[in-house]
Amino acid sequence: MKNTLMLTGAAVAAATALAQPRGFDKPPPPAPAQPLQVPPLAEAALPNGVRVATAERHGLPLVTAMLLVEAGSLLDPPGKAGLASLAFTLTGKGTKPPKGPERDAATIAIAAETLGGSLEIDTGARSSRIAMTVPLNRLDESLALMAEVLRTPSFPAEELERSRAQSLDAIKLNLSDPGALSGLLARRLYWGDTPNGIVTTAASLQRITREDVVAFHRRVVRPELVTLVLAGDVEPARARALAEKHFGAWPSNRMAVPVTPAAPPRPMAASSVLLDLPGAGQAAVVVTAPYAAFGNQPEQKARLRAGAVANTVLGVGYSSRINQEVRIKRGLSYGASSGVETLVGGGTLTTFAQTKNASAGEVAKLLAGEIVKLGREDVPAAELAARQQVLVGDFGRQLETTAGLAATAADQLLRRRALGELQQLPAELLAVDAPRVREFAGEFWKPEQLRTVIVADLKAAGPGLREQFPQALVVRSADLDLGSATLLRRK
């Protein structure tokens, strides 16, 4: 019976194939490429200084609400790195509104879930964000909860200690992770003892008191530094009305508005660091170079667009140059990538790969070589076009979700740029030509400007690594102090 069924099935399939029109099994040709559509964007401001940004995406009754506060880790006072992150984390751990009951961390979390979302709190270098993605019919209640969390945190002492302990555990874990360590060392090496170069350490966290947290929050959480971003199924008029309801009566505290420092980098004397991490199963390799700072003059904007294309050619995606050289051609890593950070005083390009201890030097040489090469040769037309499509495609995917749309709008506002400029961004990125990419890379990515960090088991890496970097600062992990100007623990 089994064989009969198999024969019958084969016969039916053959008869069906004969009955189909010729060419039926060929897929249709692809449709013409559609231009990227940026959703409608609008801006407004309340009399007290709170800004309101709306990014409309209709068709699904969903909205991402974000409170963007222009205050981040760059405002940490000397010796207390980690204060901004700790302060904003604690806003979601307890509230004490002037009207209504107090809430603890569990009650706040339950309230957010009841509204169909969850509170997401994040702190970066220049800003901090509180966000929720909720159904449209729960937006009003969600904004009430977010306003309460932002404006009336109670900063419970027990939650401060719990958050501090969690941060200390994360630091301890990072000190044993080659990838995390290499990134922290690269930041210290390039930025030096500027606000951009300071990293949170166990010592700096231990110095932070509850009084520090309260004072920091009072100083930075104020109408002039807050923007409400609503992305999704909401119109500008409705967004303005909700902002007026929840933030319109919020008075300023009359203190001087804090200004984020714009210190340029002060690189450390060493151009390379080799950190010995005995027992490390893999080496982490980072090569950094300068990058353009924020700027809103036409030439500054054009330079940043060229830099974005150059970075995408270099290390964004599977077909990027460093991934081709390190992974595809030589199999030295599971992947190599690059990213850029643009701050007020300057910026950095960071290339990264993890590899075997013995091949760390080879990978470092490959990363540096590809960085410098971009400043010496024009990118071939076909490669440039493909990489630009990757960049524009990434931008388009960011706009597909309400959360991504809100983040895009927030980033644009943080740069002090009009939201409407995002409409032209895809075309402007596609207009960057090969000479402009080469000019950018030649300006910023000179050989003498590169800095290298390798975290590895130096014994397993072999003597060739030290010979490749004879002037490197060599640090044992037991002697490392990321808070020290020399990176070395005092003895």
Side-chain angles (χ1 to χ4, degrees), residues 187-195 197-198 263-269 451:
R187 174 169 290 277
R188 294 288 290 116
L189 189 62
Y190 178 72
W191 288 102
D193 288 325
T194 66
I198 302 302
R266 291 200 297 265
M268 298 178 67
R451 277 170 165 68

Side-chain angles (χ1 to χ4, degrees), residues 9-20:
V12 170
T16 302
L18 290 172
Q20 291 174 348

